[in-house]
């Protein structure tokens, strides 16, 4: 390496670093989408941990082998960028061929090895990109701020690039787009080294051609055979009809003329009307929902009146209906069949609406083109919070999208929280109804949680006693909850009884219900649902919730995990039952969390700390044995940063309408503004002074802003949801910016202080911080599921305070040493 290279990175190399950083962050975001398609949503959360594992391992690699790298920085970055361009799609393709079945987790440890191998494969591209960027940061130490700025600017652009690729390309080709971006970065970096530019450029051109022209089949998505879409395609006569993709998901339509789909969850066992032929719709290979064959001008299919969700239409006359989550239009047809005078249908997924309205317009009877139907492609929660127009007589919510198997345990349900139900109740006319239909799981857990959530919403709105405003019925596998702003009259209560009796549905709760009225048709050992409803409405409600075998606390915006029921207090009992055939009691989606947490800790220790141990043996005493408090401070910094970041991503998932939106906006904002904070910390140079205030002040600001966020976000959520998408994105950036800027300051200042006090500990500080970051991404999600996002934010603030105390001790020792040296 020559002196000129150390002094000036040059515009071309900075552009190469920015493009490679963009490709790395784009890879992180695209992996969340791809894993949600080929596996399930709960695997998306581990991507941040995988990315940090790759970045941490690269730091350890540069420490161990950095001095042995003889290639100058330009060619090194070029070759690394080429390697990333090949590795990004290739590692994902290879990972898909690793045999892995998440459904085995409740009774077998066999999937753990496969999952670990998948994580290592997916971390490799991050390792390659981080090694190239880290090499540039090391070589251009005197221009570190310029290289770091290029890195962060590229990361922000990578978030936008990922969304753009999801708009332009099918999911299985998006990683090829990132490969092309990395190939361009390689070309820019290669121009820095003239003596090898020719062969590097040729290699770059060849890689670009391969990435763009390769057969699309090499990266074809291999969806888990246990997901609903592959299962549907196994049925004789099934064939894929159409597929559309975008940032919000992959929508697939499946036709079957030989064995048509008959999707009618909870259909009365006494129903006589036939279920017409249907087309199945899947989002990210999950589902299904359906489009029903219907002739224009004819009455909607009669079977829709024999579902539990038809109950509210027997309590209202010619209602004005709002359908939230309209999907393929079944709920809209049901509303028209129930005599609705107008129907507002809201659906977030535009491709799902497009397939229904375009390809299957004739098949569905042009359900969305009906003169009394008004379609809104929008976030249902935001539509409700906007609060425009007159009140609705009925708001119908379908909660059948989440499988009762527990695979959706980590999925945020933004529409069925206490706050959302309050907003829906506020949109009702004086005698209007809110109806929610979901699965009747056994043992009862989803139903009681939904009921508890609705009870809390009524009581928070001052609607008491809640028992007089609620009705609940169940079939053999579904249940429907109905809530009214006004007390249910005797006529309405009688109508509920008549509707349930005529269709052999069981009463769970109506005003004045007696114990003998429940559990008559779909008979259980005991009237579990009725007993749960009675206890949730009674004076010992809190005691019942605390003692229940499953977590049935009401879902809130702070803890929106409606389908996660696991309680550690009852873990031994549930695990014992699982070994006796009761594995269905273990939510597979939830089990992925502790498993990934353990694997993240093992992998980070093996790939980050073990190389540091090798360096210690080679280089002598590192001082680690006498600095546990110091290293504990760096561990707290890494853990706190990731926990705060994950908590904000989770909180803004509600505000920004989709997990991808929250990940892109919040992650990019944290990276960019934390980088600004790091730059400011280095610019002021206070970290070298030994003054503990240089770390304490930003930490004090972090604690204050975290407390403000905990207090303000619940109130801001409703207001922001009623605003435009652009306003919500801008608000998210504005709210994150000051906190992220302060969060970027403690680590570089603490590191500069440690470099003065004990240089041998610096690599260990990097390593410990990296390990904490890898673990923190998973740990934050695990805590949030049980305690909520606010708890995670508060815990992160306390960890920052603990780190400040540890760093304060460093500052005092540094000042003592300086005083001794002067003496």
């Amino acid at each position: 390496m020559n002196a000129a290279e150390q002094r000036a990175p040059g515009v071309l190399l900075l552009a190469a670093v920015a493009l490679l950083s963009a490709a790395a962050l784009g890879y992180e975001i695209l992996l969340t989408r791809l894993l949600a398609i080929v596996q399930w949503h709960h695997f998306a959360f581990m991507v941040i941990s995988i990315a940090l594992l790759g970045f941490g391992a690269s730091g350890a690699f540069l420490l161990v082998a950095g001095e042995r790298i003889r290639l100058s920085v330009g060619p090194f970055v070029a070759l690394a960028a080429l390697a990333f361009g090949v590795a990004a799609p290739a590692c994902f393709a290879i990972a898909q061929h690793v045999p892995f079945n998440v459904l085995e987790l409740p009774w077998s440890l066999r999937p753990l090895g496969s999952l670990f191998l998948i994580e290592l494969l997916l971390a490799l591209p991050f390792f390659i990109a981080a090694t190239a960027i880290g090499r540039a940061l090391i070589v251009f130490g005197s221009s570190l701020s310029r290289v770091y700025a290029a890195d962060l600017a590229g990361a922000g652009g990578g978030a936008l690039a990922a969304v753009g690729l999801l708009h332009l390309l099918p999911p299985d080709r998006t990683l090829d787009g990132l490969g092309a971006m990395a190939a361009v970065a390689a070309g820019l970096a290669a121009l820095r080294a003239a003596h090898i530019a020719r062969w590097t450029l040729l290699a770059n051109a060849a890689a670009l051609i391969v990435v763009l022209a390769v057969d699309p089949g090499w990266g074809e998505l291999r969806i888990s055979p246990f997901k609903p879409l592959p299962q549907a395609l196994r049925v004789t006569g099934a064939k894929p009809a159409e597929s559309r993709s975008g940032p919000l998901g992959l929508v697939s339509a499946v036709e079957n003329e030989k064995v048509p789909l008959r999707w009618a969850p909870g259909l009365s066992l006494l129903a006589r009307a036939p279920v017409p032929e249907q087309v199945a719709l899947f989002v990210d290979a999950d589902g299904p929902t359906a489009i029903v064959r219907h002739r224009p001008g004819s009455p909607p299919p009669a079977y829709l009146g024999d579902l539990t969700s038809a109950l509210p239409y027997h309590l209202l006359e010619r209602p004005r209906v709002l359908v939230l989550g309209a999907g393929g239009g079944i709920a809209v047809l049901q509303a028209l069949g129930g005599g609705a005078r107008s129907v507002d249908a809201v659906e977030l997924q535009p491709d799902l609406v497009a397939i229904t309205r375009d390809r299957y317009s004739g098949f569905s009877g042009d359900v969305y083109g009906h003169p009394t139907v008004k379609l809104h492609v929008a976030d249902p929660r935001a539509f409700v919070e906007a609060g425009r127009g007159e009140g609705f007589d009925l708001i119908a919510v379908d909660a059948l999208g989440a499988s009762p198997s527990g695979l959706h345990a980590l999925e945020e349900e933004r529409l069925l929280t206490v706050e959302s139900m309050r907003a829906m109740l506020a949109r009702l006319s004086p005698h209007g109804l809110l109806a929610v239909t979901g699965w009747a799981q056994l043992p009862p857990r989803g139903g009681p949680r939904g009921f508890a959530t609705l009870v809390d919403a009524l009581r928070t709105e001052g609607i008491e006693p809640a028992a007089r405003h609620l009705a609940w019925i169940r079939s053999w596998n579904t249940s429907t909850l109905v809530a009214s702003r006004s007390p249910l009259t005797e006529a309405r209560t009688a109508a509920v009884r008549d509707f349930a009796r005529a269709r052999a549905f069981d009463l769970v709760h109506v005003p004045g219900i007696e114990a003998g009225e429940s559990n008559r048709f779909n008979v259980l050992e005991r009237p579990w649902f009725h007993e749960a409803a009675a206890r949730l409405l009674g004076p010992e409600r809190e005691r019942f919730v605390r003692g229940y075998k499953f977590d049935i606390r009401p879902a809130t915006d702070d803890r929106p995990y409606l389908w996660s029921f696991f309680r550690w207090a009852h873990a031994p009992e549930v695990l014992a039952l699982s070994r006796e055939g009761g594995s269905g009691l273990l939510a597979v989606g939830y089990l992925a969390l502790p498993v990934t947490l353990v694997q993240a800790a093992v992998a980070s220790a093996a790939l980050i700390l073990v190389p540091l141990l090798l360096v210690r043996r080679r280089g002598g005493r590192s001082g680690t044995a006498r600095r546990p408090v110091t290293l504990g401070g760096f561990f707290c910094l890494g853990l706190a940063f990731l926990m705060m970041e994950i908590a904000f991503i989770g909180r803004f998932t509600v505000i920004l309408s989709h997990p991808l939106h929250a990940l892109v906006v919040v992650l990019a904002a944290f990276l960019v503004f934390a980088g600004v904070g790091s730059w400011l910390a280095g610019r002021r140079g206070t970290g070298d002074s030994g003054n503990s205030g240089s770390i304490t002040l930003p930490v004090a600001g972090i604690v204050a802003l975290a407390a403000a966020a905990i207090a303000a976000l619940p109130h801001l959520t409703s207001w922001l949801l009623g605003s435009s998408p652009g306003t919500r994105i801008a608000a998210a950036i504005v709210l994150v910016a000051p906190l992220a800027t302060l969060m970027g300051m403690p680590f570089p200042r603490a590191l500069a202080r440690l470099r003065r006090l004990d240089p041998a500990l610096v690599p260990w500080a990097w390593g410990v911080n990296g390990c904490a970051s890898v673990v923190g991404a998973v740990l934050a999600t695990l805590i949030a599921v049980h305690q909520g996002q606010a708890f995670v934010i508060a815990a992160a603030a306390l960890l920052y305070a603990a780190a400040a105390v540890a760093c304060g001790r460093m500052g005092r020792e540094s000042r003592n040493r300086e005083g001794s040296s002067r003496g």
Side-chain angles (χ1 to χ4, degrees):
M1 148 190 351
N2 54 51
E5 184 173 73
Q6 293 183 54
R7 285 197 301 270
V11 174
L12 290 176
L13 189 64
L14 292 175
V17 168
L19 273 176
L20 187 55
S21 177
L25 189 68
Y27 177 61
E28 183 175 350
I29 291 170
L30 291 178
L31 277 183
T32 66
R33 290 294 314 123
L34 294 171
L35 288 176
I37 295 171
V38 300
Q39 290 292 335
W40 276 273
H41 169 79
H42 52 263
F43 282 99
F45 75 87
M46 73 180 188
V47 172
I48 294 178
S49 179
I50 290 172
L52 291 168
L53 178 62
F55 275 80
S58 76
F61 170 78
L62 288 172
L63 176 67
V64 173
E67 295 180 358
R68 301 179 184 178
I69 299 174
R70 301 303 178 202
L71 198 61
S72 59
V73 68
F76 184 83
V77 171
L79 290 174
L82 286 174
F84 177 90
V86 174
C91 286
F92 182 75
I94 296 170
Q96 289 192 94
H97 286 79
V98 176
F100 174 66
N101 177 16
V102 67
L103 298 176
E104 291 185 42
L105 278 177
W107 65 82
S108 172
L109 297 178
R110 186 169 55 183
L112 298 184
S114 297
L115 181 60
F116 191 66
L117 179 57
I118 290 171
E119 291 174 355
L120 293 180
L121 281 168
L122 297 180
L124 181 58
F126 293 114
F127 170 82
I128 294 169
T131 300
I133 296 170
R135 173 76 173 154
L137 288 168
I138 292 170
V139 169
F140 300 109
S142 60
S143 302
L144 187 143
S145 61
R146 294 177 64 194
V147 180
Y148 197 38
D151 177 26
L152 293 172
L160 298 176
V163 176
L165 288 172
L166 288 169
H167 273 294
L168 297 172
L169 299 173
D172 58 333
R173 298 291 287 164
T174 52
L175 294 181
D176 296 339
L178 291 182
M181 186 185 300
V184 174
L188 293 172
L191 293 174
R192 182 175 176 82
H195 62 287
I196 59 167
R198 182 172 300 172
W199 69 265
T200 308
L201 283 172
L202 287 174
N204 169 59
L208 181 58
I209 291 171
V210 169
V211 168
L212 294 177
V214 73
D215 178 11
W218 89 294
E220 182 180 354
L221 297 182
R222 296 171 59 91
I223 298 171
S224 168
F226 303 100
K227 293 196 77 172
L229 174 58
Q231 291 289 309
L233 290 173
R234 290 171 62 89
V235 178
T236 301
K239 61 180 182 180
E242 185 172 354
S243 179
R244 300 192 184 190
S245 65
L248 301 188
L250 172 67
V251 180
S252 308
V254 175
E255 299 176 356
N256 194 328
E257 296 180 359
K258 292 184 178 180
V259 187
L261 176 70
R262 313 285 184 182
W263 177 251
L267 180 67
S268 168
L269 298 177
L270 303 181
R272 296 184 177 181
V275 179
E277 177 186 353
Q278 299 172 346
V279 172
L281 295 176
F282 301 86
V283 178
D284 289 345
D286 214 350
T289 184
I291 304 173
V292 181
R293 181 181 288 281
H294 173 57
R295 291 193 303 273
S298 62
Y303 86 95
L304 295 172
D306 290 324
L307 303 173
T308 59
S309 55
L311 171 62
Y313 297 104
H314 291 257
L315 310 181
L316 297 162
E317 292 185 6
R318 302 194 71 247
R320 183 169 182 258
V321 180
L322 172 63
V323 174
L324 299 178
I330 289 181
V332 176
L333 279 176
Q334 187 180 59
L336 295 174
R341 71 174 185 268
S342 68
V343 181
D344 284 77
V346 184
E347 173 57 48
L348 174 64
Q349 176 53 264
D351 290 323
L352 195 152
V353 170
I355 289 178
T356 304
R357 191 167 51 182
D358 299 342
R359 182 184 179 100
Y360 294 103
S361 176
F363 183 91
S364 67
D366 194 18
V367 60
Y368 287 135
H370 193 281
T372 61
V373 175
K374 187 176 182 181
L375 177 64
H376 309 268
V377 179
D379 173 27
R381 173 72 183 274
F383 184 88
V384 170
E385 294 281 3
R388 302 184 184 93
E390 59 184 282
F392 293 96
D393 302 311
L394 172 62
I395 298 179
V397 182
D398 180 352
L400 295 171
S403 164
S405 65
L407 287 164
H408 294 261
L410 301 182
E411 189 168 337
E412 301 94 343
E413 177 52 71
R414 303 174 297 281
L415 195 57
L416 296 176
T417 63
V418 171
E419 295 86 348
S420 180
M421 288 185 173
R422 289 183 61 191
M424 287 187 276
L425 289 169
R427 293 296 309 274
L428 294 174
S429 60
H431 299 285
L433 301 175
L434 167 61
V436 180
T437 298
W439 298 107
Q441 297 165 296
L442 292 174
R445 44 201 189 276
R449 170 171 277 173
F451 191 76
T453 303
L454 200 44
V455 169
D456 263 22
L458 287 168
R459 288 176 172 169
T460 308
E461 286 291 292
I463 301 174
E464 293 274 17
R468 296 181 57 195
H469 297 258
L470 290 166
W472 186 8
I473 64 171
R474 69 174 177 90
S475 70
W476 53 279
N477 77 332
T478 65
S479 71
T480 294
L481 285 163
V482 172
S484 173
R485 291 191 62 84
S486 59
L488 293 174
T489 62
E490 291 185 6
R492 281 186 167 180
T493 301
V496 173
R497 287 185 164 93
D498 292 342
F499 175 84
R501 183 170 54 251
R503 293 161 180 80
F505 293 150
D506 287 290
L507 293 174
V508 178
H509 172 79
V510 289
I513 188 173
E514 297 180 2
E517 292 185 84
S518 65
N519 202 34
R520 296 177 58 190
F521 300 106
N522 304 281
V523 180
L524 305 175
E525 181 182 352
R526 285 175 55 183
W528 301 110
F529 287 90
H530 169 68
E531 290 177 1
R535 297 289 297 276
L536 289 169
L537 290 167
E540 295 187 351
R541 174 176 182 267
E542 296 301 325
R543 181 180 177 185
F544 173 72
V545 170
R546 285 196 304 270
Y548 202 68
K549 300 293 184 182
F550 298 94
D551 185 356
I552 58 170
R553 290 173 296 168
T556 65
D557 284 348
D558 186 57
R559 195 172 50 83
Y561 303 96
L562 187 70
W563 314 111
S564 179
F565 309 105
F566 188 80
R567 300 189 65 176
W568 285 100
H570 299 289
E573 180 180 355
V574 174
L575 290 171
L577 290 172
S578 71
R579 288 191 291 269
E580 298 173 7
S583 59
L585 298 177
L586 286 169
V588 177
Y590 178 84
L591 281 181
L593 264 177
V595 166
T596 306
L597 179 62
V598 172
Q599 291 193 335
V602 172
S604 61
L607 297 179
I608 300 174
L609 296 184
V610 169
L612 293 176
L613 285 171
L614 296 176
V615 173
R616 183 191 180 197
R617 289 180 180 177
R618 191 176 63 198
R621 186 174 61 86
S622 66
T624 53
R626 56 190 180 86
R627 301 291 183 205
V629 174
T630 298
L631 294 179
F634 281 94
F635 184 87
C636 288
L637 286 175
L639 200 61
F641 190 98
L642 262 295
M643 288 178 66
M644 191 76 77
E645 184 178 74
I646 295 297
F648 269 76
I649 290 173
R651 203 63 176 83
F652 277 95
T653 295
V654 175
I655 296 172
L656 297 177
S657 304
H658 193 274
L660 181 70
H661 295 159
L663 179 65
V664 169
V665 174
V666 177
L667 183 60
F670 262 101
L671 287 173
V672 171
F673 287 101
V676 171
S678 297
W679 178 76
L680 290 173
R683 181 182 176 87
R684 293 183 177 276
T686 53
D688 292 336
S689 69
N691 181 6
S692 62
S694 63
I695 295 172
T696 302
L697 287 178
V699 166
I702 291 168
V703 172
L705 289 175
I710 292 171
L713 279 175
H715 304 287
L716 289 174
T717 298
S718 179
W719 176 76
L720 287 173
L721 279 167
S723 61
S724 67
T727 301
R728 281 181 269 161
I729 291 172
I733 295 172
V734 169
L735 290 170
V736 167
L739 178 62
T741 301
L742 291 175
M743 286 169 57
M745 293 181 177
F747 180 73
R749 290 183 174 177
L751 203 64
R753 183 175 294 173
L754 181 61
R755 188 175 290 113
R756 292 170 57 89
L757 180 66
D758 193 344
L761 273 182
V762 170
W764 283 94
W766 275 102
V768 167
N769 184 267
C771 289
S773 299
V774 173
V775 172
V778 186
L779 183 63
T781 306
L782 184 63
I783 296 173
V785 168
H786 292 283
Q787 302 298 334
Q789 311 291 357
F791 186 93
V792 177
I793 293 172
L798 290 176
L799 286 169
Y800 268 114
V805 172
C807 293
R809 291 185 60 177
M810 266 199 302
R812 287 193 295 273
E813 186 168 347
S814 178
R815 289 193 298 273
N816 291 338
R817 286 193 180 185
E818 289 179 0
S820 299
S821 64
R822 292 193 190 101

